[in-house]
Amino acid sequence: GSTMYLGSSRTDSLTAINTRTGEEKWRFHAEGPIRFAPLGWENRIYFVSDDGYLYCLDAANGNLLWKFRGGPSDRKILGNERLISTWPARGAPVLAPDGTIYFAASIWPFMGIFIHALDARTGKVIWTNDGDGSTYMKQPHSSDSFAGVAPQGPMALIGDKLLITGGRSVPACYDRKTGKLV
């Protein structure tokens, strides 16, 4: 259509802009930085925030339809001079053609990582993988250490595989139907 959606890590907000006039249509405030581009589908906008949540908004008016916490609690820590979730949602959402949306929370494997598959219309959990955390493994620089998948960045789907990017750690491939590490 004629709307552009912009997330901000400075103002912790998602803004809808009319591309014809440049005017702001609406603004939604999260409780943490929004670091990745939002995803649009069926008149909904999805995005993750450092507050640890995946949000689903009505694309027309910015009203919250549902949100889902990625980590086990709302515990906060200091990150980049502000309070964020102990498990920030930094595995940006990706949507499958069947209406399943995936995202991940936590960037520190030793704190546990949380990968979720949800029904994109309702927010209902399809599966959660909360068992893959820190393991003793070889790192990209060929040294062994305790580490693991640290979901950070855009994720991707290829057939029945969910690809998860890593910050300073290893990427990973998961079965998108079961949530098991491939």
Side-chain angles (χ1 to χ4, degrees):
S2 61
T3 306
M4 179 170 51
Y5 302 91
L6 301 169
S8 172
S9 60
R10 188 177 67 78
T11 64
D12 303 347
S13 64
L14 186 77
T15 305
I17 306 287
N18 182 316
T19 58
R20 292 189 179 113
T21 66
E23 293 179 17
E24 181 178 305
K25 289 184 170 185
W26 54 259
R27 183 177 298 229
F28 179 89
H29 290 275
E31 293 183 34
I34 299 169
R35 299 186 184 280
F36 303 105
L39 184 153
W41 181 68
E42 290 189 353
N43 300 312
R44 295 174 177 90
I45 299 295
Y46 303 88
F47 66 94
V48 293
S49 169
D50 276 7
D51 64 9
Y53 284 85
L54 169 69
Y55 288 85
C56 175
L57 306 182
D58 183 303
N61 57 28
N63 289 337
L64 179 66
L65 299 176
W66 55 263
K67 70 179 187 176
F68 184 86
R69 186 179 66 225
S73 77
D74 278 325
R75 189 170 99 183
K76 305 283 187 202
I77 61 171
L78 192 59
N80 296 321
E81 301 179 1
R82 54 205 307 191
L83 287 176
I84 63 168
S85 172
T86 301
W87 303 274
R90 295 235 187 120
V94 63
L95 183 74
D98 66 2
T100 302
I101 193 163
Y102 303 86
F103 84 105
S106 185
I107 57 174
W108 299 286
F110 66 90
M111 296 290 294
I113 63 165
F114 303 87
I115 306 164
H116 304 281
L118 306 175
D119 180 299
R121 290 177 182 93
T122 65
K124 181 181 174 198
V125 176
I126 297 170
W127 57 255
T128 292
N129 178 330
D130 60 1
D132 292 343
S134 188
T135 57
Y136 193 71
M137 62 190 294
K138 189 169 290 297
Q139 292 297 292
H141 49 71
S142 299
S143 295
D144 292 328
S145 69
F146 281 101
V149 178
Q152 292 188 66
M155 301 193 308
L157 298 174
I158 299 176
D160 285 336
K161 305 295 187 238
L162 171 64
L163 305 178
I164 299 179
T165 56
R168 288 176 242 157
S169 190
V170 296
C173 179
Y174 284 81
D175 182 302
R176 79 173 192 90
K177 300 290 186 183
T178 66
K180 303 293 182 203
L181 179 66
V182 176

